[in-house]
Amino acid sequence: SGMTGTAFTEAEEFQQIYSLDVVVVPPNKPITRKDHQDLIYKTEKAKLKAVAAAIKKYHEQGRPVLVGSGSIAKNELIAQWLDKAGIKYEILNAKNNEREAEIVAHAGEKGAVTLATNIAGRGTDIKLGPGVKELGGLVVIGSERHESRRIDNQLRGRGGRQGDPGDTQFYVSTEDDLMRIFQGERIAGLMERLGVEEDMAIQNKAVSKTLEAAQKRVEGFNFDARKNVVQYDNVINRHRKVVYTVRRKILDGDNIKPEIQRLLRTAVESLTEVPAKQNPKFAEEFGMIFPLDKDEIKKIGAEKRDRVRTKMALDAAKKLYQDKEDELGSELLRGIEREVYLQVLDTLWMQHLENMQHLREGIHWRSVGQRDPLVEYRAESQKLFDSLQANLRAEVLHAIYQVRKTDAITREATDDEHDTELTRLAETSVERGVNEITSGEANRDHDFTKTKAAPTTADVNRKRNAARKKKKAQRQNRKKNR
């Protein structure tokens, strides 16, 4: 949950993307600010001249004025008009960060004129100086309507805070970006036929509604773009959750024998789906993962009954696995499994991310064939992930079945720190990885209980690994001292 003053116009997006409802909280004090109807001019020049004239009028009355612009360039154009009129002002456009706090502190005083961009002025709390309330409060002037109603509402919200008086006025021309895109020429032609002079402003509810409708269309377009990005990200997010769940277990030192057994069963079921008669490469593919005798592989492939063929292959693979465990020892094999799995997973995951990026860059061309790129992206990404899982099974099982005791002792797998390329990148990265809590307050449940929680399997495994490393260091020190 969170709080903002301008979320109501984006309620649909909050609900659809984040499943969050927007609730309107009534103001602390009744709003006394007056929001005037838009003033519409034929040309940009006439509009800026009118803005400068309005600033001068309010400045002479002693009222503070805040002028909001869409860009620094527009800000500086208004500043040129004020220079001609001889009016002193302050500019708040993120270029003078050192003085921003001072500028904001004095923006509500009598006669103050502040020119601000929307980004720089967003969220600014302007306190009214002595005697300003009696004059009518802060005047907020918008030099144009923006693409989003939220930005306009944020600018309006700088005035009339906590029940203070104030006025807001937006100045619009038919040459503004928003008007130029949406019926600006038609409105300009209408003003021309009616004989409206360049310096004359019109106030028309229909034009204001047209502007709001244009803003809604732009907001809808931007919402669709953001929603599209989220939908594409959700696809790879599902892959990421699966990969990092397994990776977290390995890094915590958990026993992954059940996971290896699952890979073994899945690999056997995939390889024995059809008999060797229908798959000429059966013996080669089976032998690449499971180093069984050729005659035994041939016997398995020759079996026509699916269930019997799968059971024969599974029994042979499990026996081979048990023989390897007897050869290396249970503890040593667990360490080898963690090391091999982590290294293979990291390598394949980095390749998968690269493949997904290439897929994302070119998937939009499917729309030429009247296909939905998002649907195609989901289908193709699932194929890539299935390929990752198949390669993971094959490479992990192949490495485990091929390892020898001499190799294992040399590598000292039980004392391995799982220092793969992805782990090293995560350690040296400026941003923390997805396995760490990067924000929010730490869990404080232990403050409310005096009983000590039982150690988890991960804690026990960490202590065991720390003890092994300590013993290894002692052995190495003894060798050096000989």
Side-chain angles (χ1 to χ4, degrees), residues 459-476:
D459 293 332
V460 173
N461 287 329
R462 272 196 290 269
K463 288 180 181 178
R464 190 182 298 161
N465 288 336
R468 288 175 188 154
K469 291 172 188 176
K470 187 176 179 182
K471 289 180 181 178
K472 178 186 175 183
Q474 290 172 350
R475 287 199 305 270
Q476 289 175 342

Side-chain angles (χ1 to χ4, degrees), residues 38-42 44 47 144-147 171-188 191 202 206-208 210-212 214-215 218:
D38 297 349
L39 291 172
I40 302 150
Y41 291 84
K42 281 172 65 177
E44 176 85 0
K47 180 190 74 173
E144 61 186 306
R145 282 286 197 133
H146 305 92
E147 288 187 349
Y171 289 76
V172 181
S173 82
T174 57
E175 295 177 354
D176 288 350
D177 293 339
L178 194 66
M179 289 284 280
R180 202 165 58 240
I181 298 169
F182 297 98
Q183 301 183 353
E185 292 180 0
R186 188 174 67 82
I187 295 169
M191 293 174 75
I202 64 168
V207 177
S208 296
T210 300
L211 280 170
E212 286 189 9
Q215 287 177 313
V218 174

Side-chain angles (χ1 to χ4, degrees), residues 262-282:
R262 185 189 68 81
L263 294 183
L264 191 150
R265 284 193 303 274
T266 308
V268 166
E269 289 168 2
S270 176
L271 290 168
T272 59
E273 194 171 0
V274 293
K277 189 175 181 180
Q278 297 178 27
N279 181 14
K281 293 185 177 181
F282 176 83

Side-chain angles (χ1 to χ4, degrees), residues 247 421-433 436:
R247 197 170 187 277
E421 186 178 351
L422 192 63
T423 309
R424 290 193 295 272
L425 287 172
E427 287 175 354
T428 56
S429 176
V430 175
E431 284 187 61
R432 291 186 175 90
E436 288 187 57

Side-chain angles (χ1 to χ4, degrees), residues 66-179:
L66 173 68
V67 184
S69 304
S71 64
I72 294 174
K74 291 283 177 71
N75 232 357
E76 291 171 348
L77 279 174
I78 297 170
Q80 291 173 10
W81 282 93
L82 295 182
D83 289 335
K84 291 177 185 176
I87 299 172
K88 292 183 178 180
Y89 57 86
E90 292 284 1
I91 294 183
L92 193 67
N93 59 10
K95 278 188 175 181
N96 46 1
N97 294 324
E98 297 79 9
R99 294 193 58 243
E100 277 191 4
E102 183 186 346
I103 293 169
V104 173
H106 297 292
E109 294 180 355
K110 280 187 178 180
V113 176
T114 308
L115 309 182
T117 56
N118 297 311
I119 299 299
R122 187 176 294 179
T124 309
D125 188 16
I126 298 173
K127 305 289 185 184
L128 299 183
V132 173
K133 281 187 182 180
E134 291 73 17
L135 295 173
L138 177 70
V139 179
V140 177
I141 293 176
S143 64
E144 61 186 306
R145 282 286 197 133
H146 305 92
E147 288 187 349
S148 171
R149 289 171 295 166
R150 281 196 73 191
I151 300 176
D152 290 345
N153 292 339
Q154 282 169 342
L155 183 59
R156 279 199 178 102
R158 299 313 98 208
R161 299 169 76 84
Q162 294 295 324
D164 290 340
D167 292 271
T168 66
Q169 177 74 68
F170 277 87
Y171 289 76
V172 181
S173 82
T174 57
E175 295 177 354
D176 288 350
D177 293 339
L178 194 66
M179 289 284 280

